[in-house]
Amino acid sequence: MEKNRALESLSALAHEIRLDVFRLLIQAGLQGMTAGQIAAALGIRANTLSNNLNILAGAGLVRSTREGRSIRYFPEMEAMRGLLAFLMQDCCGGRAELCQPVLDQIACNC
Amino acid sequence: MEKNRALESLSALAHEIRLDVFRLLIQAGLQGMTAGQIAAALGIRANTLSNNLNILAGAGLVRSTREGRSIRYFPEMEAMRGLLAFLMQDCCGGRAELCQPVLDQIACNC
DNA sequence: TCCATATTTCATGTATAATAGAATTGATTA
DNA sequence: TAATCAATTCTATTATACATGAAATATGGA
């Protein structure tokens, strides 16, 4: 991932509503959620959500498909993968003792 | 890591200078860098850097110690660890196939 | 076709964050 | 003590991001 893309992703996530939306979609997983479901779950207005979904989509963190009258949103795990890899890519400068504990902590409760 | 702390960290990193500074410190590793060295390396003014270092420190992403006339900065890997763990903590919603590829990508070139 | 629903787009006032000049603090050296 | 160097803090101006009301678009059903 290039730096500008990483900055765009970080900016997208550095916002309470968008972080909530993204994590909600992460939890929803492969089935995704419609914009209306997201708005209801978080208690926010439709247009506010739409603006924020658009910013997340612009950063490549979510994708969407129309489904009848609704639009269904999904998390884009590729983007998340790229962002984390970017943040860690020069993480130790040859000194594994600095970096390895960080990687050890990252785990998935699957 | 709580949500507000994650937001503070993401906001801190969602800025070109601060992302550059943080990654430079990550590369520098345990020896850290003085504010002057960072400013010279990135070609930015002392006060601009100072403001941004203060924001990174407020987010807990760097720490500093005085060293004679200079102040030496170090990356705070604990904070990085906490942030990554937070971003990934609900990453699969019981569906490992969504989450595992992300974790597989994260590697350290030590 | 006409209406209702779901969502997005547009326009705007407001709040927040940005840089940079100038002044200040703290430490070293003469 | 005076001068110098390193870094921070203060202040003001400018730019950006924010939520929201209102209008527009797209789909489905009567």
Side-chain angles (χ1 to χ4, degrees):
Chain A
M1 179 178 284
E2 66 172 327
K3 187 170 77 171
N4 284 339
R5 193 64 167 169
L7 281 168
E8 197 177 0
S9 298
L10 289 166
S11 293
L13 292 174
H15 182 278
E16 184 165 23
I17 289 176
R18 293 193 294 264
L19 185 58
D20 286 345
V21 169
F22 185 70
R23 297 182 78 220
L24 196 59
L25 287 175
I26 290 279
Q27 288 168 21
L30 296 173
Q31 71 198 29
M33 292 177 75
T34 66
Q37 290 173 328
I38 298 169
L42 298 180
I44 55 183
R45 292 166 198 268
N47 58 353
T48 296
L49 174 63
S50 181
N51 286 332
N52 286 312
L53 282 171
N54 198 40
I55 290 169
L56 285 169
L61 291 167
V62 303
R63 67 187 163 80
S64 62
T65 56
R66 180 168 278 280
E67 191 178 282
R69 303 199 236 216
S70 298
I71 296 181
R72 185 170 292 272
Y73 282 85
F74 304 88
E76 195 65 271
M77 299 305 285
E78 283 292 327
M80 194 62 186
R81 181 192 309 192
L83 176 60
L84 296 190
F86 177 84
L87 289 173
M88 301 302 291
Q89 80 186 7
D90 295 316
C91 69
C92 55
R95 308 290 290 272
E97 70 275 19
L98 186 66
C99 171
Q100 200 55 52
V102 177
L103 299 177
D104 290 343
Q105 181 71 19
I106 302 170
C108 177
N109 55 352
C110 301
Chain B
M1 178 178 286
E2 67 172 325
K3 186 170 77 171
N4 285 338
R5 193 64 168 169
L7 282 168
E8 198 177 359
S9 298
L10 289 166
S11 294
L13 292 174
H15 182 279
E16 184 165 24
I17 289 176
R18 293 193 294 265
L19 185 58
D20 286 344
V21 168
F22 186 70
R23 296 183 77 219
L24 195 59
L25 288 174
I26 291 278
Q27 287 168 21
L30 296 173
Q31 70 198 27
M33 292 176 76
T34 66
Q37 290 174 328
I38 298 170
L42 298 179
I44 55 182
R45 293 167 197 269
N47 58 353
T48 296
L49 174 63
S50 181
N51 286 333
N52 286 311
L53 282 171
N54 198 41
I55 290 169
L56 285 169
L61 291 167
V62 303
R63 67 188 163 81
S64 62
T65 57
R66 180 169 278 278
E67 189 179 283
R69 303 199 235 218
S70 298
I71 296 181
R72 185 170 292 271
Y73 283 85
F74 303 89
E76 195 67 89
M77 299 305 285
E78 283 292 328
M80 194 61 187
R81 182 192 308 192
L83 176 60
L84 296 190
F86 176 83
L87 289 173
M88 301 302 290
Q89 80 187 6
D90 294 316
C91 68
C92 56
R95 309 291 289 271
E97 71 274 20
L98 186 67
C99 171
Q100 200 57 51
V102 178
L103 299 177
D104 290 342
Q105 180 72 18
I106 301 170
C108 177
N109 55 352
C110 300

